[in-house]
Amino acid sequence: MSIGNSPEDERPFDDVSDVPDVSDDVSEGDRPSVGRALKQARIAAGLTVDDVTTATRVRIAIVHAIEADNFEPCGGDVYARGHIRTLARAVHLDPAPLITQYDAEHGGRPAPTPAAPLFEAERIRPERRGPNWTAAMVAAIVVVIGFVGFTMVNGGDGDKANVADGDATAGASESSTPKSEKPAPEPEPSDSAIAAAPQDKVIVKVSAPDGRSWISAKDHSGRLLFDGLLAQGDSKTFEDSSKINLVLGDAGAIDLFVNGKKIEDDWQPGAVERLTYTKGDPQAG
């Protein structure tokens, strides 16, 4: 059963004569819009929106929006081109003409950044200056004077203690040996301490107890650790020395544990979340 598609849209065609004729809606010589071309090809291939979503991992809402020529949910031209290319391949279309048509209708690709300003910034970068020896000498003198004053004050206090006690040897011993203070009681362990968070690496566990979800995981250098569908009841654990980058295709179906501590969240079903976790207590990036 598909979400948001009428029975006519989901009915596969028996032969080529059943494919909708674009000329019924537009004048002769015009071509269909990008979204309409993708929708017609999907129907002609006998695929539902659910089928396309499963094959491409593009969310159902975005597929519907693109087929209606609404590219705002894609999040920008770069993502829109990527979705068009992915959907076109899924419905057996050549993506190149559709990308060209999209660029023509939306102002074309952005011009590349010229290299000249980068070299200009390099030329005007100020030269490194040598160390300020005068300031260093002044700071050293201040430290020496402070140390001498501190020593003299402590010495005078020691003499007063010796006269009051009447025992110079005992007084000198007491002044030179600091009294041991009773250590303060340690605070109750926090949630992160109870979770025994590792100090030299980050550990992220992703599980799907309530439903399946597509996930992607990369380490601190951008190396892909996993990219695929996490079935209901499955889990994956990822480790890195400093950072884990996550993309959750359906965050509402995911339980997330970072360094042994469960991440409490209010992610909605179908929501795409991009997260980054580092060593220590978990904090979403």
Side-chain angles (χ1 to χ4, degrees), residues 114-284:
L118 299 179
F119 291 101
E120 185 67 22
E122 184 68 23
R123 285 198 296 270
I124 65 176
R125 182 178 297 174
E127 297 181 358
R128 293 183 178 178
R129 296 182 179 179
N132 192 337
W133 293 111
T134 302
M137 291 178 63
V138 172
I141 293 173
V142 171
V143 171
V144 171
I145 293 175
F147 177 76
V148 172
F150 177 77
T151 303
M152 293 177 64
V153 172
N154 283 351
D157 293 341
D159 292 340
K160 293 179 181 180
N162 294 339
V163 173
D165 294 339
D167 190 347
T169 304
S173 175
E174 291 177 1
S175 62
S176 61
T177 304
K179 296 180 179 181
S180 60
E181 297 181 357
K182 183 178 181 180
E186 296 184 357
E188 292 295 327
S190 62
D191 292 341
S192 58
I194 295 175
Q199 299 299 319
D200 59 341
K201 61 183 176 180
V202 56
I203 302 176
V204 176
K205 179 181 178 181
V206 183
S207 62
D210 300 325
R212 63 182 184 177
S213 174
W214 169 81
I215 65 171
S216 174
K218 295 182 180 180
D219 63 10
H220 72 279
S221 64
R223 181 172 63 91
L224 187 64
L225 302 176
F226 180 79
D227 181 54
L229 189 65
L230 192 66
Q232 181 176 359
D234 289 349
S235 63
K236 290 286 184 181
T237 301
F238 310 104
E239 295 185 12
D240 188 68
S241 61
S242 61
K243 181 171 65 176
I244 294 291
N245 295 309
L246 290 177
V247 179
L248 307 180
D250 185 357
I254 290 298
D255 282 348
L256 194 58
F257 299 84
V258 179
N259 296 327
K261 180 178 179 181
K262 184 176 181 180
I263 302 300
E264 301 296 339
D265 58 75
D266 57 350
W267 296 324
Q268 300 300 316
V272 176
E273 294 291 338
R274 292 173 171 81
L275 307 167
T276 298
Y277 291 103
T278 58
K279 296 182 292 186
D281 290 339
Q283 293 181 353

Side-chain angles (χ1 to χ4, degrees), residues 69-141:
D69 292 306
N70 177 15
F71 299 96
E72 290 185 3
C74 296
D77 290 338
V78 174
Y79 294 105
R81 293 187 188 96
H83 289 328
I84 292 171
R85 186 177 293 106
T86 300
L87 296 178
R89 290 172 179 167
V91 298
H92 313 299
L93 281 182
D94 182 6
L98 297 177
I99 297 298
T100 301
Q101 182 177 352
Y102 174 85
D103 290 338
E105 294 174 354
H106 294 81
R109 290 180 176 271
T113 303
L118 299 179
F119 291 101
E120 185 67 22
E122 184 68 23
R123 285 198 296 270
I124 65 176
R125 182 178 297 174
E127 297 181 358
R128 293 183 178 178
R129 296 182 179 179
N132 192 337
W133 293 111
T134 302
M137 291 178 63
V138 172
I141 293 173

